[in-house]
Structure formats: C-alpha cells, structure tokens
Amino acid sequence: MKILSSLVALLSLTACVSAREIPFNLEQNTIFVQVLSARGAHPLRFVLDTGAETTVLDKRSARAVADDFGWFCWMNTECGGMRARGIVDTADLSDASNNNRHWIFGLLGADFLRNSVVTLDCRHQRLCVEPAAPHWFSRGDGFIHTPVVLPDGRTLDFIVDTGSTETFISKDAAQSLGLRKVGSCETSVVGGRTNSWECEGFAGRVNGRRIDGKVTALDLGVMGLGSVDGLLGMDFLAAHCTRLDFARHTLTVLD
C-alpha cells in the first residue's frame, strides 16, 4: 500500500483559499461531517480522523462516493466548501459503523486538512479552517504530533487523533512506565479489532493540561503507528478548544 499512499499524497486534496466554518455533529466522542459527492445529491456521513494519514472510503459504499477502478478509487467531493479530490484507498469500516449505529461512508484524513490551520470547537460543534502561512518545515508523516510531559520531565510522542474516541498509549510505553494493568478488552481499529489493556496510574500534561487516571494500552503497530507512544483522542480534545496547525504540525490548547 506504500505506492498507493504516495499517490494519494501527490494527487490529493484541499483547496482552502479563505477561512471556512464547517459544522459537525459530535456523537459518542466522534466528529461527523457532511460530505457531498459529485455522484449524488444526498450528503454522506464521514468521520473527521486526523489519525488517518490519508482519506479512506468504506469498501461497501465506495461506488456511492467515488469511481471505482478496482485497485484504486477516484473521489470528487466537497465538505463545507472545501474540495476533496484525488485517489483514495478503501477499508472495511463496518466495525466503526456498528459502534456508532450509523453507516460511515469514509474517514476524512489528515490530507484533507493539509496546509490548513483548524480551530476545533466542540462546544459549538464547528471547525474553523484557515489557510496556513507558508512554513519550511514539514513532517514526513503528515500527522500532528504533540509532546505529553510526564511528572519526571520526560516526554512521550503522541499523535493528535480526532478519529479516536479515547486517548491510547502504546503497550511498549505502558510497560516502560510501569502502569498497572487492571483488565483486558478489545478495541476497534480500521479494518477490524485488536486486543488492548486497561491501565491505571498514568499522569501527563499536554500544553499544561492534565491527562491522568485510566488509559487503554494498544499495539499501535497494527495501525502502522509503531514509532509513536500514543494517540491523543477525543476524550481530551472534546473537553478543550484546540488549534491544529497542519503546516507546522502543532497543537495549541486555547482554553
């Protein structure tokens, strides 16, 4: 899939020439946005997922959204006046649809917001999307990384993930920190489910705001994120107004 991912990055996505305000629905700590497809008049439910490097369509509904050429799909859609057009991958999103009790047509990934600055306001359920100022530095993976500062001053590297309903820590980091395992569970990820641990005793700060108590430890390698220490999920993001700069790959907590 590396070749396809490269094509997605090359040919996608946004045209954000002025500030846009995009309303969304926040349901079960999941951000749903309405996407209009060139193939139909009815809006489609997509999840805004900054933890997905590229936009992904559900395999079962790809033909309703895009032109399916077998080994790739060409998508031409619009969300809040922003065009999303290019080659996209497909995945089985049935678990995500079942968990939310609504059909999910796709995930709008980090590529949709590339070169944008996004203010995420969960209280009023809206995104304010502005073009980012040019910046010489660009991370290779396209994600927003944020340091989580531990009580002893060490830092962990977390990805800001609006597609994750809760904050996760990698199993390796949980073991290294000596977090107490209090149970096992299954967690839904794109393409299926994976075993995870419930842990107690975590404490850290993001932009000075605390994260502590119970966290879920997950093998992030199954998501292709084995090099990071965790995912900062919607349990934290929904509690704050945040600014996501996809040009500088930074997170700022505004409240």
Side-chain angles (χ1 to χ4, degrees):
M1 302 308 295
K2 289 184 179 179
I3 295 176
L4 180 58
S5 297
S6 298
L7 287 171
V8 173
L10 179 65
L11 298 178
S12 306
L13 267 164
T14 59
C16 181
V17 296
S18 60
R20 308 277 186 180
E21 190 170 286
I22 302 175
F24 64 82
N25 292 325
L26 183 63
E27 303 172 16
Q28 299 178 337
N29 268 1
T30 303
I31 295 176
F32 291 98
V33 293
Q34 300 292 315
V35 173
L36 291 173
S37 170
R39 297 178 63 86
H42 300 292
L44 308 172
R45 282 168 62 93
F46 274 60
V47 172
L48 183 70
D49 186 358
T50 60
E53 188 173 2
T54 59
T55 294
V56 176
L57 298 180
D58 177 57
K59 283 183 176 181
R60 301 163 301 167
S61 52
R63 290 183 183 275
V65 184
D67 295 308
D68 188 351
F69 294 99
W71 66 279
F72 70 90
C73 292
W74 177 268
M75 185 175 79
N76 183 5
T77 57
E78 178 183 322
C79 179
M82 295 176 61
R83 297 291 296 273
R85 180 169 54 188
I87 293 175
V88 293
D89 199 1
T90 61
D92 182 0
L93 303 180
S94 56
D95 272 349
S97 294
N98 292 336
N99 288 342
N100 286 279
R101 302 175 188 173
H102 293 285
W103 192 285
I104 295 173
F105 283 85
L107 310 176
L108 278 183
D111 55 351
F112 176 69
L113 297 168
R114 190 176 58 216
N115 299 324
S116 299
V117 177
V118 180
T119 300
L120 176 59
D121 183 355
C122 289
R123 177 181 297 177
H124 299 99
Q125 300 194 25
R126 64 190 180 192
L127 303 169
C128 180
V129 184
E130 307 168 74
H135 191 61
W136 65 270
F137 174 74
S138 178
R139 294 189 69 115
D141 60 15
F143 297 121
I144 289 181
H145 292 249
T146 190
V148 176
V149 182
L150 303 176
D152 62 6
R154 289 182 295 162
T155 59
L156 299 178
D157 178 26
F158 275 48
I159 285 175
V160 179
D161 186 2
T162 60
S164 176
T165 58
E166 61 182 293
T167 294
F168 292 100
I169 190 170
S170 73
K171 287 184 175 180
D172 288 343
Q175 289 177 322
S176 176
L177 295 174
L179 300 184
R180 186 167 62 257
K181 180 179 174 182
V182 295
S184 299
C185 55
E186 278 198 334
T187 299
S188 295
V189 298
V190 173
R193 302 177 69 84
T194 186
N195 292 325
S196 52
W197 308 330
E198 294 176 349
C199 299
E200 288 183 338
F202 181 74
R205 289 182 178 270
V206 176
N207 276 199
R209 280 68 171 182
R210 293 178 58 182
I211 307 175
D212 52 24
K214 287 186 178 181
V215 291
T216 301
L218 186 67
D219 179 6
L220 297 179
V222 301
M223 303 166 64
L225 300 173
S227 62
V228 300
D229 299 311
L231 306 176
L232 187 67
M234 284 300 298
D235 53 347
F236 179 88
L237 298 171
H240 300 281
C241 183
T242 55
R243 187 174 177 86
L244 314 179
D245 189 329
F246 284 86
R248 289 169 171 78
H249 303 274
T250 58
L251 165 75
T252 305
V253 180
L254 302 176
D255 58 3

